[in-house]
Amino acid sequence: VNDLDKINPIYQFSLKAFNTVFHKAIVWAESSEDLQGHITNLIEAVTYSVFLYTNQGLFEKDKLTFLAQTMFQILLRSKEIELLELDFLLRFTVEHTHKSSVDFLTPQSWSAIALMDEFRGLDRDIEGSPKRWKKWVDSECPEKEKFPQEWKNKSYLQKLIILRALRPDRMTYALRNFVEEKLGSKYVESTRMDLAKLYEDSSPATPVFFVLSPGVDPLKDVETLGKKLGFTIDSGKFHNISLGQGQEMVAEEALEEAATHGHWVILQNVHLVAKWLGTLEKLLEQYSKGSHSDFRVFISAEPAPTPEEHIIPQGILENSIKITSEPPTGVLANLHAALYNFDQDTLELCSRETEFKSILFSLCYFHTCVAERLKFGPQGWNRRYPFNTGDLTICVNVLYNYLEAHTKVLWEDLRYLFGEIMYGGHITDDWDRKLCHMYLEEFMSPAMLEGELALAPGFLAPPNLDYAGYHKYIDEMLPAESPVLYGLHPNAEIEFLTMTSENLFKTLLEMQPRNLLVGDESGQSPEEKVKNVLDDILEKLPEEFNMTEIMQKAAVRNPYVLVCFQECERMNLLIRAIRRSLKQLDLGLKGELTFSPDMEAQQSALLYDSVPDAWTSTLPNNVTQLDTWTQDLVLPAVVWLSGFFNPQSFLTAIMQCTARKNDWPLDKMCLTVDVTKKIREDYGHPPREGAYICGLYMEGARWDIQSGLIAEARLKDLTPAMPVIFVRAIPIDRQETKHIYECPVYKTKTRGPTYVWTFNLKSKEKSAKWVLAGVALLLAV
């Protein structure tokens, strides 16, 4: 429990609170005649009480981390699992990628099983009976199915390791099942917040602290409970203060009065008054003793976006009962929630009832899509935005005014107001703006008035109904939750679940006690392990490029040669930085240099087998490409675009070379791409003009080599590799504009700031399909 502040500094718990929970648990533990039975009951009661107390203050995304960590520590202590196997499950380092021998496993999965010593022969078994394994890998919930062959006899932890290799997207479900089996089903059942019970646990010395999420107001429940118990604003026993803009004095007076006469005080949004928080901490401490027994404080605050920006004092957090309240998830719950902002009276407001109701319902669906799409990470939106119900209600007001003022529906104007101003006001990325606009084009058109508009496959915009009718329509007609409801491919969910499980294991690994992390069977200390990794990297680190020598080779300095020089210089800077930081860390480990926070972070990264932030994992491949290129400074036959520090400069060089050759003005040119049917090895020399590039992957769809068009992705193939692409420069006016999708190219899956260029790819489908599916090309996966 004490380690949870590593995940989020708002998770701070005091020993005093723990003590209270501990003693209460002993009181309600079941008694038993024999001693051993009694001890077992006590341990269970304490474990479960502490779990409930802690769990109510955690965000949904962190609950499984806490639960899994608790379970692993319990099982290690009772010797039910092996430390080495747990370390392997959490670390899961796949160093080399091997080509898969079976078509239903990706190279990453195949490489993971090829590297497991404890599971020798697994790759042979899969090759030997591919049908049985394919059936297992392709099943909807493989964690519930029996493993093929004798692998079904492995321990639960070993099965988790195999599952992490073959179906990483199912790990969160598998861990939940493991907890249920080992600790009991009550640990995985979702519990509703019971404010009345919380009130019993609170006291003048123990405030209730609500950790806020956008779109949720837990304080309405406090008002309702207050009314029940006779603490109301009218009776003067209930003080509700929203902090900010000089409300601190009001809050101080309210606290003093409430402590004396036994009132309730709500302090909303205390994160807005950073300077006053120290005073609040002292006041709560002061009134915790000798106050009226009915005195209660309820506090609410948003968590800081990063640990560095965290400002809530430790004393307030430790002494409070923390409660998180989060908005519902999924299209069904959110569509109902969006509609709850209105009522039958709203629907009858407008004289043009049919248009008003239809567009209002579409707006609710649009709001649900843009808000819920955030959970799919960068494939959903490039950046995160605080869309809220205020945006939705303002849009409905605008809609009402527009329909009353004009005789016909001005679709274009409405879409502009909703997409560029109301929702667009939050949006800072051009590609996200395009996505928002595309949603509105799809969800708002005259077709909806004819009853012919599908908001999602199998979900038609509803006919003219009353308020209750719309809620009923949602319950009866909305298809099951799936990325398809947002316009995304089902793979987006696999990607989202895989990333969730990767982050979960990364956090779990960092939460393990340091002394438990064994380097290997020889029982190395963490310092020895870091020293070994450090020496190994230093030994393999390539020499810097000799710039003077390389520059002398260049008779002509064309744009390509200049790009080569720039890349070599950047590579030298990186090699230098890595060498310097490793040598400093080495001196730090010897005790000859004071440890800095940077060195601490680097030591931690090397211990956990991850790449330190200051470096990049593509180093060896980059060096190989530059080595070859610097031999004679002739453009490689096929250029590995992902290997560049600055891929834009290479793509610009293609335009510059063509412009010089044909004497065309550079500002009137653009790049055009032809996706070939070949792979890198098929080419022996570069094209006469332009360049062949490779190393790109498509996310959200795939490239169909036969038809030469973008096509629907295959299930579970998340980022298929692209064939070699021929890039050349042409005058802008010769550019093909029909039947194309403007596809963004990003350096990595994080998208957003890693944008490189836009490639126009041929498409038979209209481009809205690919925009909503978040289709992009990536230089690294």
Side-chain angles (χ1 to χ4, degrees):
V1 172
N2 212 24
D3 280 344
L4 285 169
D5 66 349
K6 289 179 185 169
I7 302 177
N8 190 328
I10 210 149
Y11 299 154
Q12 296 191 29
F13 300 87
S14 69
L15 188 58
K16 191 174 84 181
F18 179 82
N19 248 328
T20 313
V21 175
F22 183 81
H23 285 107
K24 270 191 182 168
I26 291 174
V27 173
W28 68 256
E30 279 182 43
S31 55
S32 169
E33 293 308 308
D34 71 303
L35 181 64
Q36 197 46 53
H38 191 56
I39 291 174
T40 307
N41 291 349
L42 282 174
I43 290 175
E44 175 48 35
V46 169
T47 308
Y48 189 58
S49 299
V50 173
F51 160 71
L52 283 180
Y53 174 77
T54 312
N55 203 48
Q56 66 191 8
L58 303 181
F59 284 117
E60 209 54 53
K61 66 182 180 59
D62 299 322
K63 286 180 177 174
L64 187 57
T65 310
F66 166 59
L67 202 45
Q69 172 68 344
T70 305
M71 173 186 67
F72 287 141
Q73 296 306 322
I74 290 171
L75 297 180
L76 280 173
R77 192 150 299 177
S78 61
K79 305 237 180 323
E80 284 183 65
I81 57 173
E82 287 282 319
L83 180 61
L84 276 171
E85 285 184 356
L86 174 63
D87 192 48
F88 186 79
L89 171 71
L90 300 183
R91 221 175 258 285
F92 218 79
T93 323
V94 181
E95 288 180 354
H96 302 290
T97 309
H98 305 283
K99 194 172 179 315
S100 177
S101 300
V102 289
D103 61 356
F104 56 88
L105 289 181
T106 61
Q108 283 88 339
S109 290
W110 188 256
S111 313
I113 58 169
L115 115 172
M116 303 189 194
D117 280 350
E118 302 95 303
F119 305 98
R120 201 159 276 142
L122 178 56
D123 47 355
R124 278 200 308 280
D125 278 358
I126 292 176
E127 280 175 310
S129 36
K131 271 204 178 111
R132 288 171 69 183
W133 280 96
K134 179 175 168 39
K135 188 180 171 209
W136 181 84
V137 168
D138 287 349
S139 65
E140 207 167 310
C141 306
E143 71 282 2
K144 289 183 178 166
E145 305 289 337
K146 270 202 172 133
F147 278 74
Q149 298 159 300
E150 87 269 10
W151 299 97
K152 61 175 166 288
N153 306 324
K154 292 282 180 195
S155 73
Y156 209 114
L157 192 66
Q158 290 166 336
K159 286 178 184 168
L160 279 182
I161 292 174
I162 301 175
L163 189 71
R164 185 164 184 200
L166 303 182
R167 281 294 299 276
D169 57 303
R170 301 303 299 171
M171 290 311 292
T172 48
Y173 298 98
L175 273 175
R176 258 198 191 91
N177 293 348
F178 194 12
V179 170
E180 189 169 358
E181 184 173 297
K182 290 294 178 190
L183 302 183
S185 57
K186 58 184 178 183
Y187 285 89
V188 292
E189 288 159 1
S190 58
T191 44
R192 295 274 310 135
M193 177 189 81
D194 181 357
L195 199 60
K197 191 183 170 313
L198 275 181
Y199 176 67
E200 286 170 26
D201 293 341
S202 68
S203 69
T206 313
V208 175
F209 190 110
F210 292 99
V211 186
L212 296 173
S213 297
V216 178
D217 179 17
L219 300 171
K220 281 187 187 144
D221 300 337
V222 178
E223 284 186 35
T224 313
L225 182 68
K227 277 186 189 139
K228 240 192 221 156
L229 301 174
F231 293 88
T232 58
I233 292 177
D234 297 341
S235 69
K237 290 184 170 184
F238 190 91
H239 309 267
N240 188 348
I241 297 138
S242 193
L243 285 153
Q245 295 185 335
Q247 290 296 297
E248 296 92 334
M249 284 306 294
V250 181
E252 287 176 28
E253 285 163 14
L255 283 169
E256 187 178 355
E257 188 185 337
T260 314
H261 302 294
H263 300 172
W264 286 12
V265 181
I266 292 186
L267 301 174
Q268 293 192 47
N269 300 322
V270 298
H271 60 283
L272 299 177
V273 284
K275 290 198 174 79
W276 183 69
L277 290 175
T279 310
L280 174 63
E281 186 179 15
K282 287 194 190 89
L283 289 173
L284 291 174
E285 175 66 27
Q286 181 187 328
Y287 296 135
S288 69
K289 301 176 194 71
S291 294
H292 192 292
S293 61
D294 286 345
F295 168 58
R296 291 290 183 281
V297 182
F298 300 89
I299 302 169
S300 80
E302 286 176 14
T306 63
E308 293 72 40
E309 295 167 77
H310 173 79
I311 52 167
I312 312 287
Q314 189 177 353
I316 297 180
L317 289 172
E318 285 193 348
N319 294 322
S320 308
I321 298 172
K322 284 179 290 303
I323 302 295
T324 52
S325 43
E326 292 177 272
T329 57
V331 174
L332 181 74
N334 276 280
L335 190 48
H336 279 304
L339 206 51
Y340 288 142
N341 292 294
F342 313 104
D343 53 24
Q344 185 60 35
D345 294 348
T346 320
L347 296 185
E348 290 168 6
L349 268 180
C350 187
S351 56
R352 297 171 58 195
E353 190 188 327
T354 314
E355 291 98 326
F356 180 67
K357 283 177 164 181
S358 293
I359 299 174
L360 182 141
F361 190 89
S362 263
L363 271 171
C364 289
Y365 194 78
F366 164 73
H367 175 78
T368 299
C369 282
V370 297
E372 272 294 274
R373 198 181 161 105
L374 284 165
K375 72 178 179 193
F376 295 102
Q379 207 179 336
W381 292 101
N382 272 340
R383 298 166 198 270
R384 297 191 69 78
Y385 303 111
F387 299 120
N388 56 56
T389 46
D391 301 325
L392 174 62
T393 46
I394 290 171
C395 284
V396 171
N397 291 338
V398 169
L399 171 66
Y400 167 75
N401 293 334
Y402 243 70
L403 289 179
E404 291 290 344
H406 300 94
T407 48
K408 62 176 201 281
V409 181
L410 303 174
W411 298 102
E412 203 49 50
D413 287 17
L414 288 173
R415 285 194 291 251
Y416 182 83
L417 288 165
F418 302 154
E420 295 290 329
I421 296 168
M422 307 310 169
Y423 285 83
H426 297 290
I427 297 175
T428 53
D429 179 283
D430 290 345
W431 291 96
D432 287 342
R433 194 170 289 281
K434 187 174 178 177
L435 169 67
C436 179
H437 185 72
M438 210 52 103
Y439 263 137
L440 289 164
E441 290 225 329
E442 291 296 294
F443 294 164
M444 275 176 215
S445 69
M448 66 200 298
L449 304 177
E450 318 297 315
E452 291 165 6
L453 180 84
L455 294 169
F459 188 58
L460 284 173
N464 188 341
L465 303 166
D466 64 358
Y467 185 69
Y470 282 122
H471 279 297
K472 189 166 174 245
Y473 184 83
I474 295 169
D475 284 330
E476 289 175 2
M477 304 306 289
L478 187 74
E481 178 69 22
S482 137
V484 176
L485 294 178
Y486 310 89
L488 289 155
H489 187 272
N491 278 350
E493 181 163 46
I494 297 176
E495 171 68 19
F496 155 67
L497 288 170
T498 306
M499 290 311 293
T500 307
S501 97
E502 286 303 310
N503 292 333
L504 173 75
F505 284 116
K506 185 172 176 286
T507 311
L508 280 170
L509 183 63
E510 287 165 5
M511 284 181 77
Q512 298 313 305
R514 273 286 172 93
N515 54 356
L516 270 183
L517 282 167
V518 189
D520 57 19
E521 282 86 342
S522 62
Q524 291 179 317
S525 70
E527 284 73 21
E528 286 165 340
K529 178 176 188 249
V530 169
K531 174 79 175 118
N532 285 349
V533 177
L534 182 149
D535 290 343
D536 189 43
I537 297 174
L538 275 174
E539 197 179 311
K540 289 179 184 162
L541 204 59
E543 286 304 310
E544 288 179 32
F545 288 100
N546 182 331
M547 293 309 295
T548 325
E549 211 173 278
I550 294 169
M551 284 175 164
Q552 280 166 356
K553 290 182 190 172
V556 189
R557 293 199 174 185
N558 66 22
Y560 292 136
V561 172
L562 293 176
V563 169
C564 181
F565 289 169
Q566 287 166 0
E567 290 292 318
C568 290
E569 278 166 355
R570 283 200 178 94
M571 181 59 75
N572 284 352
L573 286 172
L574 179 62
I575 294 171
R576 232 169 281 157
I578 293 177
R579 187 167 280 126
R580 186 176 60 243
S581 62
L582 285 172
K583 288 193 165 154
Q584 282 180 341
L585 181 58
D586 197 19
L587 292 171
L589 290 171
K590 286 178 186 159
E592 293 172 20
L593 200 64
T594 317
F595 246 69
S596 67
D598 285 352
M599 285 154 76
E600 190 87 41
Q602 204 174 321
Q603 179 184 15
S604 179
L606 295 181
L607 184 63
Y608 297 131
D609 297 325
S610 59
V611 179
D613 289 344
W615 309 357
T616 164
S617 54
T618 51
L619 186 69
N621 299 338
N622 292 24
V623 174
T624 319
Q625 171 157 287
L626 287 175
D627 264 342
T628 323
W629 198 358
T630 51
Q631 295 311 311
D632 49 14
L633 294 177
V634 172
L635 191 66
V638 179
V639 175
W640 182 53
L641 193 65
S642 321
F644 287 115
F645 289 97
N646 184 356
Q648 286 95 327
S649 64
F650 178 74
L651 294 170
T652 309
I654 296 178
M655 296 216 290
Q656 289 168 330
C657 285
T658 314
R660 283 185 190 180
K661 192 173 163 188
N662 299 314
D663 207 15
W664 291 339
L666 197 58
D667 59 351
K668 300 272 192 303
M669 291 176 68
C670 67
L671 288 183
T672 181
V673 297
D674 297 304
V675 184
T676 70
K677 294 186 174 184
K678 298 181 174 180
I679 56 169
R680 187 180 192 169
E681 288 67 31
D682 295 339
Y683 290 94
H685 50 80
R688 284 214 302 275
E689 206 170 78
Y692 296 127
I693 60 168
C694 68
L696 287 90
Y697 302 85
M698 188 176 274
E699 188 172 40
R702 69 185 169 90
W703 184 259
D704 183 25
I705 294 183
Q706 271 13 78
S707 64
L709 298 164
I710 303 182
E712 188 84 14
R714 290 196 180 98
L715 203 59
K716 298 196 182 70
D717 194 358
L718 305 185
T719 46
M722 292 289 285
V724 167
I725 299 174
F726 175 32
V727 185
R728 53 199 174 86
I730 54 166
I732 289 175
D733 52 21
R734 283 195 221 156
Q735 185 171 270
E736 188 66 57
T737 51
K738 282 199 175 94
H739 305 299
I740 58 125
Y741 165 57
E742 294 179 1
C743 183
V745 181
Y746 297 101
K747 286 185 185 175
T748 66
K749 278 186 177 177
T750 49
R751 300 195 179 195
T754 72
Y755 170 76
V756 176
W757 209 275
T758 304
F759 284 178
N760 286 355
L761 299 177
K762 291 194 178 76
S763 165
K764 206 152 97 185
E765 307 265 2
K766 53 180 197 169
S767 64
K769 177 181 171 73
W770 309 124
V771 174
L772 298 188
V775 175
L777 287 172
L778 308 173
L779 295 182
V781 292

